[in-house]
């Protein structure tokens, strides 16, 4: 059966000192054991995080990855490098990567393949912008995002994907999707995967919600049957808030 997952996407925040303090505070916190906890610090803090998390159950993710094995790609980081510092997940397709760094569906497809070939589990982000929601196109938009970058995968490969539904209008805005909006979309995503693959595959995939999740709204969102956890931005930068979110299942 699918796992409950809470992943913290730190984005471009926390220097080595701040990362170290945050991780030490998380290590001291009482975290619900049934939930898989993942943190995604910046590249520069991954090796440090790996050391500090040694012997704990908190898993490490990167926020991005290059699609090639190695070579003349100044400034980029490969899957193999990530693996060598204990990374097991990689966030791909975040709306900030899509919008600011022009990552398109075709590129994301190659990144998904590269991650899986290197035994990194993609946390694949999808979600509509405000206009898409206002025009009633949100279901169509996520269907395209899923089919263009994931639906070439075999059923077995698909089992290693985590999906994060992050409506762009809810990211960093303080505005969240209502628990009902989240549930409706998650059911839609799961059904779409079931139609392409099988109910068994769809039921095994964790679908996380992301977008202004805070300790005060997490419980209602996670109470929905098809919301299997959260991808947390701002609130993941405070150990107390992140812990409260983890413990709100
Ligand atoms: P916020 O929780 O800050 O809205 O960010 C969500 C997000 O983008 C996580 O990837």
């Amino acid at each position: 059966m699918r796992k409950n997952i809470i992943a913290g996407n730190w984005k471009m925040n926390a220097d080595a000192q701040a990362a170290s303090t945050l991780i030490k505070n998380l290590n001291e916190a009482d975290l619900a054991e049934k939930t898989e906890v993942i943190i995604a610090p910046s590249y520069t803090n991954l090796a440090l995080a790996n050391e500090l998390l040694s012997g704990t159950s908190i898993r490490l993710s990167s926020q991005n990855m290059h699609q090639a094995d190695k070579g003349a790609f100044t400034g980029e980081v490969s899957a193999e490098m990530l693996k060598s510092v204990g990374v097991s997940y990689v966030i791909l397709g975040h709306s900030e990567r899509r919008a600011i760094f022009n990552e398109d569906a075709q590129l994301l497809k190659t990144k998904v393949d590269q991650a899986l070939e290197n035994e990194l589990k993609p946390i694949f982000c999808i979600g509509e912008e405000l206009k898409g929601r206002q025009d009633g196109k949100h279901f169509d938009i996520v269907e395209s995002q899923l089919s263009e970058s994931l639906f070439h995968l075999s059923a077995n490969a698909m089992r290693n994907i985590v999906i994060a539904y992050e409506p762009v209008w809810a990211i960093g805005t303080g505005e969240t999707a209502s628990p009902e909006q989240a549930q409706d979309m998650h059911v839609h995503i799961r059904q779409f995967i079931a139609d392409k693959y099988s109910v068994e595959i769809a039921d095994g995939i964790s679908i996380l919600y992301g977008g202004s999740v805070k300790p005060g709204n997490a419980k209602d969102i996670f109470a929905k049957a098809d919301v299997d956890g959260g991808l947390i931005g701002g609130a993941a930068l405070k150990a107390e808030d992140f812990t409260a979110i983890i413990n709100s299942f």
Side-chain angles (χ1 to χ4, degrees), residues 136-204:
K137 299 241 164 65
H138 42 293
F139 292 128
D140 296 340
I141 291 166
V142 301
E143 284 184 11
S144 304
Q145 291 170 331
L146 288 167
S147 51
E148 287 170 11
S149 301
L150 295 182
F151 278 11
H152 63 292
L153 295 175
S154 70
N156 261 340
M158 197 65 186
R159 292 180 203 276
N160 293 308
I161 301 287
V162 174
I163 288 171
Y165 168 59
E166 299 204 298
V168 180
W169 47 271
I171 295 178
T173 58
E175 187 173 348
T176 40
S178 67
E180 292 69 30
Q181 283 174 318
Q183 170 67 7
D184 285 354
M185 180 57 89
H186 285 218
V187 168
H188 191 87
I189 292 167
R190 207 178 300 283
Q191 187 58 51
F192 192 61
I193 295 170
D195 291 345
K196 165 75 183 173
Y197 292 93
S198 67
V199 171
E200 190 253 329
I201 296 280
D203 278 349

Side-chain angles (χ1 to χ4, degrees), residues 9 11 94 96 166 170-173 210-214 231-235:
N9 175 9
K11 308 191 180 183
H94 193 280
E96 288 149 19
E166 299 204 298
I171 295 178
T173 58
S212 297
V213 177
K214 308 284 176 214
L231 182 55
I232 318 299

Side-chain angles (χ1 to χ4, degrees), residues 46-63:
L46 287 172
L48 166 76
N50 187 36
E51 268 176 42
L52 293 172
L53 292 175
S54 148
T56 77
S57 58
I58 300 178
R59 312 292 296 277
L60 208 46
S61 174
S62 64
Q63 299 174 16

